[in-house]
């Protein structure tokens, strides 16, 4: 039996069913789970003093493209809209191989961990030069954060009227065969799983209707989740109406892509009918505020979604459309954007943080994560509010208004991944240098 104690936390934002916030409180962790939250707790194991700190659940990232950490701030697409941005980057990504996939995932996940993220999804939809989903899964295991990779796909290239170049698409029979392989090899349906696998054709403009339907049937046969991009910007809406004769929400419903086992990325342009559809069917949304700003896509109607009961989590999205992988910054941006649209009282710091923790866990069907309660997984972020960002704050627990954006300690399944603001599980300076070497090679 392994056990340790986090003690004397100034505030614990539990995100439990009552949203309790005990002060000067302790958390007892045993065998990867939270055993008890209270005062004056004791242990025979290691003790971590959280004096001057706020403790939250580990943050949950519901949408990412980890391979893109190798293509941040590419000059040719710094100021491009979505489709032009993709056209610039596809030829660069076509040069990737297994090492690029592994190293970019390692760096991206370490960056997320430093922002307090304990559970991340990933949407990998291109597999050039022998790359496999396995490359990212190995990286996640080394970094030590909980992982929900999705086997993405593109099957319609330029010659078939699609957006990606032909050398980045795969035959649909190959795609389905590999989807079966990765689910059978890596998906763990058990509570406390460190790796679950989803199936995720890239988007309605890069795969066929048949692949979307076949993937939905396969996912439900295997008991795994479905994920794709949807209603990201005005171009997305126009494409759907021109090609399919309907809006994206209707298209998704027609193909069996709604339900509690489905979550869609972005959903910036959902209208009231589509929001109602998502609410009725339990379909989840990954809100990616910084990426939506970066690409000029718009502001997702998150306030309306949540008011109508849609399950919403946060996504950092790929670092080629965000250039950053900090989930605390995403939470702050989500809060501010809803205030821009709906007024200063539209979203509080605590609600935005709830979306980043419990909300994301619920989107990924992980009720064992995202909240600090006895019996839940010991995914815990400790934030030092004695830092300059919190100096003078009357409410240090309002982290997104005035608080640190990097975590002091991060525990995942009770194992320490970040200690004193440093990743403990990998040699990060060496990984960064290798990442920079690979980026320089891609530029040449």
């Amino acid at each position: 039996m392994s056990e340790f104690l986090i003690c004397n936390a100034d505030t614990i934002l539990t995100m439990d069913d009552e949203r309790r916030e005990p002060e000067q409180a302790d958390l007892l962790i045993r065998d990867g789970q939270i055993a008890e939250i209270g005062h004056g707790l004791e242990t025979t194991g290691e003790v971590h003093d959280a004096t001057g700190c706020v403790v939250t659940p580990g943050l949950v990232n519901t949408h990412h493209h980890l391979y893109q950490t190798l293509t941040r701030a590419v000059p040719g697409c710094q100021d491009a809209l979505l489709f032009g941005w993709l056209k610039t980057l596809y030829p660069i990504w076509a040069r990737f191989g297994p090492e690029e996939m592994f190293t970019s995932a390692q760096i991206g996940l370490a960056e997320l961990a430093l922002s307090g993220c304990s559970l991340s999804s990933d949407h990998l939809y291109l597999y050039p030069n022998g790359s496999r989903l396995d490359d990212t899964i190995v990286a996640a295991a080394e970094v030590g954060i909980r992982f929900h990779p999705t086997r993405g796909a593109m099957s319609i290239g330029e010659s078939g009227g699609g957006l990606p170049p032909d050398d980045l698409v795969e035959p649909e029979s190959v795609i389905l065969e590999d989807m079966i392989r990765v689910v059978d090899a890596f998906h763990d349906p058990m509570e406390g799983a460190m790796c679950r696998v989803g199936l995720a054709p890239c988007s309605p403009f890069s795969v066929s209707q048949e692949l979307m339907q076949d993937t939905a049937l396969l996912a439900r046969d295997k008991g795994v989740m479905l994920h794709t991009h949807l209603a990201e910007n005005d171009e997305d809406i126009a494409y759907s109406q021109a090609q399919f004769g309907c809006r994206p929400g209707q298209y998704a419903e027609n193909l069996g892509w709604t339900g509690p086992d489905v979550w869609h990325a972005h959903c910036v342009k959902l209208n009231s009918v589509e929001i109602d559809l998502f609410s009725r069917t339990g379909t989840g949304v990954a809100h990616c505020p910084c990426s939506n700003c970066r690409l000029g896509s718009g502001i997702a109607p998150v306030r309306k979604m949540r008011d109508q009961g849609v399950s919403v989590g946060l996504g950092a999205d790929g670092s080629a459309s965000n250039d950053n992988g900090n989930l605390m910054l995403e939470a702050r941006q989500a809060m501010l954007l809803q205030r821009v649209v709906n007024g200063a009282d539209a979203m509080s710091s605590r609600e935005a943080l709830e979306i980043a923790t419990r909300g994301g866990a619920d989107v990924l069907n992980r009720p064992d994560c995202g909240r600090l309660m006895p019996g839940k997984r010991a995914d815990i972020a400790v934030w030092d509010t004695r830092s300059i960002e919190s100096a003078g704050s009357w409410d240090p627990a309002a982290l997104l208004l005035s608080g640190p954006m990097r975590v002091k300690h991060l525990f995942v399944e009770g194992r320490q991944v970040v200690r004193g603001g440093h990743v403990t599980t990998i040699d990060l300076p060496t990984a960064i240098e290798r990442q920079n070497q690979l980026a320089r090679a891609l530029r040449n």
Side-chain angles (χ1 to χ4, degrees):
M1 180 182 72
S2 62
E3 182 178 284
F4 68 93
L5 184 69
I6 298 173
C7 66
N8 303 321
D10 282 11
T11 306
I12 301 176
L13 299 177
T14 64
M15 301 299 171
D16 67 6
D17 296 342
E18 289 78 36
R19 308 302 193 268
R20 290 178 296 175
E21 299 184 5
E23 297 180 350
Q24 308 306 317
D26 312 326
L27 296 92
L28 182 64
I29 291 85
R30 183 179 299 128
D31 296 333
Q33 291 181 294
I34 297 169
E36 189 176 355
I37 300 175
H39 297 86
L41 304 183
E42 297 181 351
T43 182
T44 57
E46 188 175 359
V47 175
H48 298 266
D49 186 5
T51 299
C53 297
V54 172
V55 176
T56 72
L59 277 56
V60 179
N61 181 28
T62 60
H63 184 67
H64 208 95
H65 307 295
L66 289 168
Y67 74 91
Q68 293 180 10
T69 59
L70 263 172
T71 49
R72 304 190 209 234
V74 173
C77 57
Q78 289 181 11
D79 306 311
L81 298 176
L82 176 63
F83 281 18
W85 173 86
L86 285 169
K87 285 282 194 180
T88 302
L89 288 166
Y90 278 143
I92 301 172
W93 295 336
R95 298 169 57 194
F96 281 30
E99 184 177 10
E100 285 79 7
M101 294 300 185
F102 169 83
T103 303
S104 57
Q106 189 181 51
I107 290 295
L109 291 167
E111 183 181 20
L112 285 167
L114 288 169
S115 76
C117 178
S118 57
L119 165 60
S120 181
S121 66
D122 184 43
H123 189 187
L124 181 57
Y125 53 81
L126 47 82
Y127 297 87
N129 306 310
S131 302
R132 301 198 300 174
L133 193 66
D134 314 37
D135 305 323
T136 64
I137 293 172
V138 172
E142 290 193 5
V143 174
I145 79 170
R146 215 177 289 277
F147 201 36
H148 198 135
T150 59
R151 206 301 183 181
M154 298 190 294
S155 64
I156 300 178
E158 289 176 314
S159 63
L163 194 65
D166 289 344
D167 60 355
L168 276 179
V169 303
E170 302 171 277
E172 295 190 351
S173 59
V174 171
I175 292 167
L176 291 166
E177 182 179 347
D178 196 55
M179 284 178 170
I180 294 170
R181 180 189 70 83
V182 295
V183 170
D184 289 347
F186 299 110
H187 179 69
D188 182 358
M190 301 300 292
E191 183 173 315
M194 289 298 293
C195 183
R196 289 187 181 172
V197 176
L199 304 182
C202 181
S203 65
F205 49 81
S206 58
V207 300
S208 70
Q209 295 185 46
E210 290 75 21
L211 183 62
M212 293 288 286
Q213 291 171 318
D214 289 345
T215 302
L217 291 171
L218 175 60
R220 285 165 181 142
D221 179 65
K222 292 288 188 179
V224 301
M225 295 190 72
L226 290 162
H227 183 53
T228 193
H229 299 91
L230 200 78
E232 184 169 353
N233 66 4
D234 289 331
E235 292 173 288
D236 205 338
I237 302 299
Y239 185 93
S240 181
Q241 291 174 325
Q243 296 296 318
F244 312 128
C246 61
R247 287 183 56 86
Q250 184 63 57
Y251 182 68
E253 184 178 35
N254 293 345
L255 298 180
W257 273 74
T258 55
D261 57 349
V262 182
W263 86 104
H264 293 288
H266 301 297
C267 298
V268 173
K269 298 297 181 177
L270 290 190
N271 65 17
S272 58
V273 173
E274 291 165 319
I275 292 172
D276 180 66
L277 169 67
F278 278 34
S279 176
R280 286 187 287 104
T281 58
T283 305
V285 170
H287 173 43
C288 306
C290 289
S291 174
N292 297 157
C293 290
R294 163 78 155 77
L295 292 174
S297 300
I299 302 174
V302 172
R303 182 70 278 154
K304 292 181 181 178
M305 292 181 194
R306 281 182 58 83
D307 288 347
Q308 291 187 224
V310 176
S311 184
V312 180
L314 287 183
D317 203 6
S319 288
S321 67
N322 184 331
D323 307 300
N324 204 311
N326 186 312
L327 212 58
M328 283 294 275
L329 290 177
E330 296 299 327
R332 177 175 167 83
Q333 187 79 341
M335 174 188 70
L336 295 177
L337 286 176
Q338 294 311 300
R339 292 181 177 211
V340 166
V341 174
N342 301 298
D345 59 350
M347 183 171 288
S348 69
S349 170
R350 282 166 171 80
E351 182 181 8
L353 191 60
E354 178 180 322
I355 294 171
T357 53
R358 184 181 179 118
D362 290 347
V363 165
L364 297 180
N365 284 343
R366 294 301 302 257
D368 54 339
C369 302
R371 60 271 278 162
L372 301 179
M373 301 166 59
K376 303 300 182 182
R377 311 317 301 181
D379 295 358
I380 303 165
V382 180
W383 307 90
D384 191 347
T385 52
R386 295 167 297 187
S387 61
I388 192 169
E389 299 93 339
S390 297
S393 173
W394 289 29
D395 181 11
L399 291 169
L400 300 181
L401 292 176
S402 57
M405 294 291 107
R406 286 184 60 156
V407 76
K408 180 179 181 181
H409 304 309
L410 179 70
F411 302 87
V412 182
E413 193 67 8
R415 295 184 289 268
Q416 191 156 18
V417 174
V418 176
R419 182 190 295 268
H422 299 281
V423 175
T424 65
T425 50
I426 62 171
D427 181 352
L428 189 54
T430 298
I432 291 170
E433 177 54 31
R434 184 55 184 152
Q435 174 94 330
N436 288 331
Q437 290 173 357
L438 291 171
R440 286 193 292 270
L442 288 166
R443 291 198 297 269
N444 295 333

